[in-house]
Amino acid sequence: MLKDFSILTHAYDATSAQLDDATATERRLSQLRGCFSDSEAYDEALAREDSLLYRVTAVEPAHGNGDLHYGLGVLYPGKVGSEYYLTKGHLHRTREAAEVYIGLTGEGMMLLEDEATGESRLEPIGEGKVVYVPGHTAHRTMNTGSTPLTYFGVYPANAGHDYGAIADRNFLKVLIEENGIPVLKDRISL
Ligand code: F6R
Ligand code: ZN
């Protein structure tokens, strides 16, 4: 019911890349141990600085059937070795829950991986791009540009996040920079 909602509009602050009155989650390099393929480059980068890689501010207005949650993500530019800064990546706890990503600024890619078959797809995300992430699909975002990548993600309230399944084996593909351009490789071949 309408009266249950104290706030329906949240300000999207383009400068801080945050939503007001939302729950913020920050991820630093130290929290992404095991995500990058080059563990030596990871240890070296971490010894230099525990950099902030990304932040998500999430709004979870209601939790019933049919409700929606959404978040504004900002993923900063950078690399560990030749691998672009990335999000941890996850499946939804409710596996059939899909999601829509709306790119706002910057340039990046989404790595999608079918949980059942391991089939991978790389989709561009950033200014002017909207990506549909089907259910049963692990998803990770990479910043391939030189400015912050910002995006909205909108998903069913019951989607939830399952980080464990993907953390156990990591994504099968890795996006690295080679001769100045992003190239998708098999993790196993690195
Ligand atoms: C929500 C969603 C995004 C991510 C965000 C950070 O379902 O996909 O809002 O949560 O891009 O990535 P993770 O959650 O993988 O650290
Ligand atoms: Zn998601």
Side-chain angles (χ1 to χ4, degrees):
M1 286 218 286
L2 208 45
K3 69 172 175 46
D4 296 337
F5 296 91
S6 55
I7 310 177
L8 288 173
T9 303
H10 290 257
Y12 153 47
D13 183 338
T15 310
S16 67
Q18 297 192 63
L19 287 162
D20 288 354
D21 301 309
T23 310
T25 304
E26 291 195 338
R27 296 281 181 220
R28 294 186 173 272
L29 194 54
S30 56
Q31 293 164 293
L32 277 91
R33 181 167 289 284
C35 293
F36 291 94
S37 57
D38 185 340
S39 53
E40 223 168 275
Y42 174 82
D43 288 338
E44 280 169 20
L46 189 54
R48 281 195 299 276
E49 191 187 344
D50 190 9
S51 308
L52 177 66
L53 267 58
Y54 63 98
R55 181 192 307 105
V56 181
T57 47
V59 177
E60 303 183 349
H63 300 271
N65 263 347
D67 285 319
L68 295 172
H69 289 175
Y70 62 92
L72 172 65
V74 54
L75 173 59
Y76 293 101
K79 287 194 296 274
V80 171
S82 53
E83 190 172 2
Y84 298 102
Y85 276 3
L86 44 72
T87 58
K88 282 170 98 128
H90 59 269
L91 285 146
H92 291 149
R93 212 168 45 237
T94 300
R95 287 294 196 267
E96 59 269 32
E99 180 163 2
V100 172
Y101 273 66
I102 304 158
L104 300 174
T105 66
E107 270 175 63
M109 291 284 180
M110 290 192 74
L111 180 58
L112 308 182
E113 187 177 297
D114 186 296
E115 185 182 25
T117 65
E119 183 199 350
S120 301
R121 295 254 298 253
L122 195 59
E123 300 290 333
I125 185 71
E127 192 176 345
K129 296 283 190 297
V130 178
V131 177
Y132 181 75
V133 180
H136 302 271
T137 305
H139 43 291
R140 163 175 280 172
T141 308
M142 285 85 48
N143 186 336
T144 56
S146 53
T147 58
L149 170 68
T150 60
Y151 53 91
F152 268 106
V154 184
Y155 43 97
N158 71 351
H161 294 86
D162 175 1
Y163 292 99
I166 205 71
D168 287 346
R169 60 166 178 75
N170 215 334
F171 285 75
L172 298 170
K173 304 273 187 186
V174 178
L175 190 68
I176 61 169
E177 186 179 271
E178 231 174 50
N179 303 320
I181 55 161
V183 179
L184 192 65
K185 301 241 168 169
D186 289 333
R187 182 177 302 281
I188 209 148
S189 71
L190 291 173

